[in-house]
Amino acid sequence: MKYKNSQRNSNQNTKIASYWSKLALVWDPMLRLCGLDQKYRKDAISVLCPEKGQTVLDVACGTGLNFHYLFNGVGSNGRIIAIDIAPGMLEKAKIRAQNNGFNNIDFILGDVSEIELPKVDAVAACWCMISIPDYPKALENIVESLRPGGKIAILDFKRIDGFFGHILNPLFEWICRITYQDITREPWHDLKRLLGNVQMREWKYGAILSSVYLAWGTKT
């Protein structure tokens, strides 16, 4: 399934790819400094329950920080398909794969909402649904790629609930806008529409600073 892209979306994708390619230079140390990545990422992969020999899709794979967890699940006889819109991120991911001996990874450069995806058993989408320009179409494409019984896990930021949300959400929305992101999105609703039964958990990152959520479900 391939989607035609408007000129506006094409220009936007070019800007986004350039932005994230530059950020690839500092992405790993930045996440380590923030302390927000490893625990949440590990939990996201764990709900997928990847099994030996399966094929998994790593959406917006970035520098490949999911690879270790995915490889432990599918093993050397499985297959990991890593896709990212930013060439700089993908180059870092390829180096990580090579350095760790992950020889079963196929790399795809492109927007996940626009390209034809192979059939997979599981999908990990970490820290990307607020960044993908046409995320509803991306979700439709991803779910279409899932085999029956296949699982998807979305890990990302969301707006803060309650009193502090009224104070801090406008600031976070502004920060996201200038970094080509949209924290107002609620893709778990789209996931429920596409899959039916969806589970969700949420963490308060830094007490009141922001909220991190994990939404996951299975294709029937």
Side-chain angles (χ1 to χ4, degrees), residues 5-16 114:
N5 210 10
S6 68
Q7 184 63 38
R8 180 184 176 208
N9 285 341
S10 178
N11 291 338
Q12 185 182 26
N13 285 358
T14 300
K15 292 178 181 178
I16 291 171
E114 299 176 347

Side-chain angles (χ1 to χ4, degrees), residues 2 7-8 25 43 46 78 89 104 133 168 182 195 198 216:
K2 294 186 178 180
Q7 184 63 38
R8 180 184 176 208
L25 299 173
D43 285 352
S46 69
M89 286 287 187
N104 57 340
L168 296 175
D182 183 1
L195 295 180
V198 171
W216 71 96

Side-chain angles (χ1 to χ4, degrees), residues 183-220:
I183 203 172
T184 67
R185 295 174 177 176
E186 299 179 342
W188 55 89
H189 294 307
D190 300 88
L191 203 58
K192 289 177 181 177
R193 173 177 56 83
L194 294 168
L195 295 180
N197 184 31
V198 171
Q199 299 181 69
M200 188 169 173
R201 65 178 297 193
E202 185 176 341
W203 299 270
K204 299 296 182 184
Y205 173 63
I208 63 170
L209 187 58
S210 65
S211 291
V212 173
Y213 74 90
L214 173 62
W216 71 96
T218 303
K219 184 176 183 180
T220 56

Side-chain angles (χ1 to χ4, degrees), residues 49-55 71-78:
C49 304
E51 299 177 4
K52 302 299 182 184
Q54 287 188 332
T55 298
F71 185 84
N72 282 348
V74 303
S76 58
N77 291 326

Side-chain angles (χ1 to χ4, degrees), residues 23 45 63 78 86 94 188 212:
L23 202 59
I45 303 302
T63 60
K94 290 178 180 178
W188 55 89
V212 173

Side-chain angles (χ1 to χ4, degrees), residues 15-203:
K15 292 178 181 178
I16 291 171
S18 176
Y19 171 79
W20 287 105
S21 286
K22 293 175 183 176
L23 202 59
L25 299 173
V26 296
W27 185 243
D28 290 9
M30 184 178 71
L31 290 183
R32 285 195 295 268
L33 181 64
C34 294
L36 63 83
D37 185 64
Q38 188 171 4
K39 169 182 164 36
Y40 303 135
R41 191 182 294 272
K42 185 177 181 180
D43 285 352
I45 303 302
S46 69
V47 301
L48 294 176
C49 304
E51 299 177 4
K52 302 299 182 184
Q54 287 188 332
T55 298
V56 295
L57 175 64
D58 192 359
V59 176
C61 68
T63 60
L65 292 171
N66 284 341
F67 292 170
H68 173 74
Y69 306 111
L70 294 174
F71 185 84
N72 282 348
V74 303
S76 58
N77 291 326
R79 183 183 176 202
I80 300 170
I81 301 169
I83 181 171
D84 203 286
I85 197 172
M89 286 287 187
L90 214 58
E91 285 304 312
K92 290 284 186 180
K94 290 178 180 178
I95 293 171
R96 184 183 301 276
Q98 183 177 16
N99 290 343
N100 287 276
F102 301 149
N103 299 319
N104 57 340
I105 303 179
D106 297 328
F107 294 94
I108 301 175
L109 177 64
D111 183 344
V112 70
S113 66
E114 299 176 347
I115 62 178
E116 186 175 359
L117 298 172
K119 291 298 181 181
V120 298
D121 301 292
V123 177
C126 298
W127 314 122
C128 63
M129 282 299 155
I130 64 173
S131 304
I132 297 172
D134 194 346
Y135 83 94
K137 188 171 285 187
L139 274 178
E140 291 176 4
N141 199 21
I142 289 167
V143 171
E144 177 67 23
S145 76
L146 278 174
R147 297 187 176 105
K151 299 178 180 179
I152 178 174
I154 298 174
L155 175 69
D156 220 328
F157 290 109
K158 65 183 289 290
R159 284 179 291 185
I160 305 166
D161 298 324
F163 172 77
F164 289 106
H166 293 292
I167 300 172
L168 296 175
N169 282 335
L171 173 62
F172 284 114
E173 290 171 20
W174 176 80
I175 292 173
C176 285
R177 280 196 299 273
I178 65 174
T179 56
Y180 302 103
Q181 300 176 93
D182 183 1
I183 203 172
T184 67
R185 295 174 177 176
E186 299 179 342
W188 55 89
H189 294 307
D190 300 88
L191 203 58
K192 289 177 181 177
R193 173 177 56 83
L194 294 168
L195 295 180
N197 184 31
V198 171
Q199 299 181 69
M200 188 169 173
R201 65 178 297 193
E202 185 176 341
W203 299 270

